[in-house]
Structure formats: C-alpha cells, structure tokens
Amino acid sequence: MSSNTESRLTRASAATGGTGYSRTRYSTASSSTALALRGLRWWRRAQAGVGAAAEWVSGTLSVAGWMLVATAALGLVLGLSFGWIEFVVAGVLAGVLVLLSVPFLFSARAYDVDLSLGHDRVVAGTQVSGTLTVTNVGRGIALPGRIDIPVGEGLVDVYIPLLRRDHHHVEQVVVPTHRRGVIQVGPARTVRGDPLGILSREATWADMHTLWVHPVTTPLRSTSAGFIRDLEGSASRTVVDADISFHAIREYVPGDAQRQVHWKSTAKTGTLMVRQYEETRRSRMVVALAVSESEYATDDEFELAVSAAASIGVRGIRDGRDVDVVLGGEVPEFVRASARTIRELATVSARTLLDDLSAVERAARASALGEVTSLASEMHPDASIAFLVCGSTQTARSLQTAALAFPANVGVVAVICNPEAEPGYRRLGSVSVMSIGLLDDLRQLLARGSQA
C-alpha cells in the first residue's frame, strides 16, 4: 500500500514538473526580502529619529542642564547601587528640576515676529529706531519669553510678556549707529526657557535688514570756488588745433584741416593762416583715499579721512563733475612686490558713493597711496584735479611721489588728517597740502582760497 502511494506521489510530482516545490521556494524568498526591506526602513527611521532627538537635546540642554542630567544619572545609579541616600536625593532633585523646566518650552513657535526699521540709510551718530511686533498665533496662551535681535556684532534682548491668543506686543528697538559701517539687523530669534536656564529652545525668523551708516560729511562750497578753479568748459593752457576757446593764428602746415583756415589773415599776409585754440576739458575730479593700515596712526585719523573724502566726492557729484573715488585694493602677500591694484567706488550719485564708503575699512595688505595714484592716472588721463586723502604717517617725500603720478597740468591737493594737529595750509612744490584736525577745517580751508 505504501509503495503504491509513494509511486502515485512521485508521478504527480513528475507530472506537475515539480511546480509545487518551486512555488513554495519562491514564496519563502519573497517573504524574506520583504522582511529585510521592512527592517532596513525601520532601521533608517530609527536612525533619523535618534539623530533628531540628539539634535533636539543638544540644542535644548544648556551647560547647567547637562550638569543636572549627569547629576541625576550618577546620583541614582551610585545611590541605588551602594545604598547611598545622599546620592539618591541629589539625583532625584536634579531630575525634578529638569522635569519642571520642560513646561517652559511649550509654545516656542507660537509667535509671529515682524521687525521693521524707520530708515535704511543714516549718518553715523544718528539714532535709528525699529519697531518689533510680536503676535501670538498659537492656540493658547503664550508664556513670557525673550527675543534676541542681532545688530551687527552685538545683540539686543527684548522681553515679551504673557500673550493671549491673537494678541500682540509692540516694542521699540534702538539700533546703535555710533560708527560708520554696514550693519546687518536680524534675523530675530525667539528664546524660550526656564528661569534657571536649564532648558531653552530657539526659533529663528528670516527677516533681515541692512542698515547703511554713512560717514559724517560737511557741506562744502561749490567746487567753482577756492582751490578748484578748472570748471567744466574752462580753458586750459594746452593749445590745440580745434576747440571752442580761440587762442591765436599761425601759419598753415601740411595736415591742417582746411576748415580752420582764417581767410582774412590769409588775405592780409598772402600766406595760409590757421586758427589755434585753448583746449577746453571736461572737469574730472579724482579722489584717492589711502586705506593701508600703515598710512594712519589711529582709527580716528582714518574715520576723519573717510569723512573728508566723502565730503569732497559728494560736493563734486552735486556740481555735475565727473568724480572718481579710488582706493587701494588688497594684494596677496606672495605677489605684493610685483602687483598693484585699486578699487573704484560707485559715483553714480551721492548715495551710491556714501553706501560704498560705509563699508570701507583699513587693510594690512592694501596698495599704498603712491601705487593708487599711479594706477588712477593711467585709468583717468583726462583728470583735471586730484585730492590725496591720507593720515599723519605720510612723509613729504611720499606725498610728492604720489602727486608726480599725475601730469603737470593736473592740480593736486593733499589732505592730511590728524585730529591732534592744528589746521593749516602750505605748498610742497607743486602740491597744495592741507592739514585738518576736524572735518570743519576742510570746509574753512577750501573756502579760504575763494576769499583771497
């Protein structure tokens, strides 16, 4: 009976070609693959969860919080292991303090923060007020908290009281602008935590503002007065063959334009005579500002120099002149001996110039004033007057070297800024040298020439 049964089972298996066995094997392999995939997914989720939890803990626990957690863990472990009641009490108290700090973290993102500034451009020393509006957009009451507002390298703390739902709190924030510069205000950051500073949570808003603090300037008289007399369209001493201002008549030479022939003089002398003119130039002003650290003795000298350059440049722009404000660019140390570079500031308007001057700082590897004037003379050969603004460390020789970079028909005025020096004016060869201790000295010295 058993042999017949085994033969029938064998034939059935042969008839089906082993199909039943193959199906069972395939189903088992599919189940194993599915379990492996599920396990991998679970492992990845667990890793992500652990990482998020670790990040949250590290960002929530302060130094005091970490100390309390360590005290609770060690106190309970050692106290229960060795029967030390004092350690158990210390561990329990530390754990209770940590647990009591948790409710203070609730509603950390229940605020809607709006920060606005009254002005985006001010003069150094002018007070700027901002308005901070905090609204409770949560579902319940928002516990008291604090908002930190980064202002440049500083930080302004604003206390926010308890707020009911849909209520808001308005606070005036004063932005210090004692010094020239470009100040980044924001983003505002809410900080919520317990009074003991054990736990804290922060939420940041992406509302940032840029505040340009312009250098202090003094109103100068028009550049048509004082030392600056080469007005637009005024004649120079350069004689040319074609211009507007008539100068003299000379004999014709091959190559002269026939339209310049002066026929009346030709008829009287019997020789072709042509007109000559004095060249009229577009008035272009170059202001070269020294920015190397070695060219100033103190920071006050540099700030005075920036204000002087700003005052001269703004006056020239408002007078309709072509103004170029240049300063030394930073050169890497390994090419310092063979490379020169300058930086030109935007002079489209007075505001663009003041914006750029707000961000100017001294640099250790900046090109010296002589290199700046040399490149400026090459880039602007049509310059009619140049101002060299520098500090008290400049010598008479270095000033003359910087001035000689310009052609002889270019008027050069050196402005030496030294808050501890008496104002004065002197001639150094062909260079006019002004020494100023205050910004108003520049205005008085430039105006003195028009009264002479």
Side-chain angles (χ1 to χ4, degrees):
M1 177 68 181
S2 59
S3 61
N4 295 334
T5 304
E6 289 178 0
S7 63
R8 284 197 299 268
L9 290 175
T10 302
R11 286 195 299 271
S13 178
T16 57
T19 304
Y21 176 75
S22 300
R23 288 178 179 175
T24 303
R25 184 179 181 183
Y26 177 77
S27 176
T28 303
S30 300
S31 301
S32 301
T33 304
L35 289 174
L37 290 175
R38 290 177 184 176
L40 182 59
R41 293 192 188 111
W42 179 86
W43 176 251
R44 290 179 177 176
R45 291 175 183 174
Q47 279 186 323
V50 171
E55 183 178 357
W56 182 88
V57 170
S58 62
T60 302
L61 280 174
S62 63
V63 176
W66 282 111
M67 293 178 64
L68 287 175
V69 170
T71 301
L74 292 176
L76 292 176
V77 171
L78 295 178
L80 294 177
S81 300
F82 298 97
W84 297 339
I85 303 300
E86 295 83 358
F87 278 69
V88 175
V89 172
V92 171
L93 289 178
V96 169
L97 286 177
V98 174
L99 292 177
L100 290 177
S101 303
V102 173
F104 289 93
L105 303 179
F106 297 157
S107 304
R109 293 187 174 271
Y111 290 152
D112 180 37
V113 180
D114 179 68
L115 176 64
S116 61
L117 297 180
H119 304 279
D120 58 357
R121 289 172 173 84
V122 295
V123 180
T126 304
Q127 181 174 328
V128 179
S129 296
T131 302
L132 178 68
T133 304
V134 181
T135 305
N136 180 11
V137 295
R139 297 181 179 180
I141 296 177
L143 297 176
R146 187 181 85 244
I147 290 184
D148 294 340
I149 304 176
V151 179
E153 297 180 355
L155 195 67
V156 177
D157 296 337
V158 179
Y159 172 77
I160 306 300
L162 185 144
L163 289 178
R164 291 181 294 173
R165 182 179 179 182
D166 296 332
H167 281 63
H168 61 272
H169 175 75
V170 180
E171 189 83 16
Q172 295 296 321
V173 179
V174 178
V175 179
T177 58
H178 305 297
R179 188 186 182 278
R180 170 191 58 85
V182 181
I183 301 177
Q184 298 294 334
V185 181
R189 182 174 65 248
T190 59
V191 181
R192 185 174 296 280
D194 59 278
L196 298 179
I198 299 173
L199 303 178
S200 64
R201 290 186 65 185
E202 297 181 356
T204 304
W205 277 258
D207 189 13
M208 290 189 62
H209 301 271
T210 301
L211 178 63
W212 283 271
V213 182
H214 290 169
V216 179
T217 58
T218 185
L220 303 179
R221 300 183 65 176
S222 175
T223 53
S224 61
F227 295 101
I228 312 172
R229 302 181 184 277
D230 56 333
L231 294 176
E232 178 181 359
S234 63
S236 67
R237 296 183 180 180
T238 303
V239 179
V240 294
D241 293 333
D243 214 303
I244 299 176
S245 180
F246 177 76
H247 174 65
I249 296 175
R250 62 171 176 81
E251 291 187 6
Y252 174 87
V253 294
D256 288 337
Q258 293 185 0
R259 65 176 182 276
Q260 301 299 340
V261 174
H262 193 268
W263 296 108
K264 290 185 179 180
S265 299
T266 300
K268 290 180 181 180
T269 60
T271 305
L272 282 176
M273 307 294 290
V274 295
R275 302 180 182 88
Q276 280 187 309
Y277 301 86
E278 290 179 328
E279 182 185 22
T280 56
R281 297 176 296 173
R282 172 76 177 176
S283 181
R284 177 176 291 275
M285 177 190 297
V286 174
V287 181
L289 175 63
V291 294
S292 177
E293 289 186 353
S294 60
E295 294 174 315
Y296 296 92
T298 62
D299 291 337
D300 291 337
E301 287 187 9
F302 180 66
E303 291 302 319
L304 180 59
V306 174
S307 294
S311 301
I312 297 170
V314 168
R315 181 71 265 177
I317 292 173
R318 290 175 178 172
D319 285 347
R321 290 173 172 266
D322 290 336
V323 179
D324 300 288
V325 180
V326 296
L327 46 88
E330 291 197 53
V331 181
E333 189 65 30
F334 63 92
V335 294
R336 184 171 176 81
S338 59
R340 300 176 302 165
T341 179
I342 63 173
R343 174 188 170 196
E344 290 199 56
L345 304 185
T347 56
V348 178
S349 64
R351 190 180 75 171
T352 59
L353 174 59
L354 293 175
D355 284 350
D356 280 357
L357 284 173
S358 298
V360 171
E361 298 291 345
R362 286 197 291 171
R365 296 188 298 270
S367 299
L369 183 61
E371 298 172 345
V372 173
T373 56
S374 178
L375 289 176
S377 177
E378 296 175 5
M379 297 175 61
H380 306 288
D382 57 340
S384 53
I385 190 167
F387 283 90
L388 314 182
V389 186
C390 56
S392 61
T393 60
Q394 291 286 348
T395 62
R397 182 175 181 179
S398 62
L399 285 177
Q400 286 182 322
T401 302
L404 288 175
F406 294 98
N409 60 347
V410 177
V412 180
V413 181
V415 181
I416 300 178
C417 303
N418 185 3
E420 299 180 357
E422 293 292 333
Y425 167 77
R426 70 182 189 273
R427 295 287 299 181
L428 186 62
S430 60
V431 184
S432 301
V433 181
M434 297 181 182
S435 298
I436 62 173
L438 299 172
L439 190 57
D440 287 340
D441 296 339
L442 177 65
R443 174 168 53 86
Q444 295 173 4
L445 290 174
L446 288 177
R448 186 181 301 173
S450 62
Q451 298 172 358

